[in-house]
Amino acid sequence: MSHVRRVTKPTDEARGVGYGYTPVVEGGLRLGPASLGEYLRRLMLLNEVFPDVAMALEGFIRTPQRLEVVTLQEYVPGRLLGDIATEVGGHEVRRLIEGWFTRRGFAKLYLSNQPGPSHAWYREEDNTAVFDAKPANLLEWAGSLRPIDVNPVHPAGALLRAIRAAL
C-alpha cells in the first residue's frame, strides 16, 4: 500500500454537519464544527506547515445529506500515539508530543472547553496555531511524530487575541 484515501465524515453524525473542528472564540477559545471552506483551507495549510504528511485533494462525493471530501495521502507505516498510550501510558505520550512541538518552536495553548491535557499549540514566528493535536491524530514512525489529522490555522483578529491570551 503506497497511499491512503480518506473520505470526510460529519463531525456531528446525528445532524450530518461539520468537517472536523475549527477554533472559535465564543465564550472563550474552543473548538467548534468546521465548514467545508474551513476544512479545505486547513487542508492547504496542513500541506504547507507539515509537507511530509501532505494530502492531495482527490475529489468530492455528493451524498443525499452533503458533500464529502476525498483526499489522498502517502501511507506512513507508523503507529497512532493513541495506541501507544495503552502500552507506555498517557504521561509518556504527552511528554513525546510536548517535546516534539516545543522543539519546533510551539507553545502550548489552553482552550476554555477542554478538560485534561491541552492538544493545542501556537508558534509566533510564523503565526501558526495547531489544534486537535491529540494522540489519535499523531503517528510515531522512525523515531519521529507525524501529524496526520491536526487543525492548523493562521489566526487573525479576535482569534489571534484569544490565542495570545491562552498562552
Side-chain angles (χ1 to χ4, degrees):
M1 174 185 314
S2 66
H3 288 83
V4 175
R5 186 169 282 115
R6 298 175 57 181
V7 178
T8 56
K9 64 179 183 185
T11 306
D12 181 340
E13 291 191 42
R15 294 185 5 219
V17 298
Y19 291 85
Y21 295 96
T22 194
V24 294
V25 184
E26 294 169 5
L29 181 60
R30 63 182 186 81
L31 294 178
S35 69
L36 176 58
E38 288 164 330
Y39 178 85
L40 294 173
R41 281 190 294 280
R42 186 173 70 229
L43 178 66
M44 289 176 13
L45 187 56
L46 179 73
N47 291 347
E48 179 184 314
V49 176
F50 302 111
D52 55 339
V53 294
M55 287 188 226
L57 175 62
E58 191 165 66
F60 300 93
I61 299 171
R62 176 156 303 280
T63 69
Q65 297 79 27
R66 64 191 230 136
L67 192 65
E68 302 296 353
V69 180
V70 181
T71 56
L72 191 66
Q73 183 176 34
E74 185 178 339
Y75 175 74
V76 177
R79 294 179 57 200
L80 287 174
L81 286 185
D83 295 339
I84 294 172
T86 60
E87 296 171 20
V88 300
H91 178 73
E92 181 63 21
V93 167
R94 278 191 301 278
R95 191 182 67 71
L96 284 169
I97 294 169
E98 288 174 3
W100 191 85
F101 275 99
T102 301
R103 284 190 301 278
R104 283 156 182 79
F106 287 91
K108 190 179 281 196
L109 296 175
Y110 295 92
L111 280 62
S112 342
N113 69 334
Q114 183 170 338
S118 173
H119 303 300
W121 299 87
Y122 178 69
R123 184 169 58 199
E124 190 168 4
E125 172 186 319
D126 60 356
N127 188 37
T128 299
V130 177
F131 293 88
D132 212 21
K134 60 188 177 187
N137 291 340
L138 298 161
L139 282 176
E140 187 282 326
W141 182 64
S144 184
L145 298 187
R146 303 276 175 107
I148 57 165
D149 200 18
V150 298
N151 302 340
V153 296
H154 285 312
L159 179 58
L160 181 58
R161 288 189 296 278
I163 285 172
R164 287 185 173 147
L167 290 171

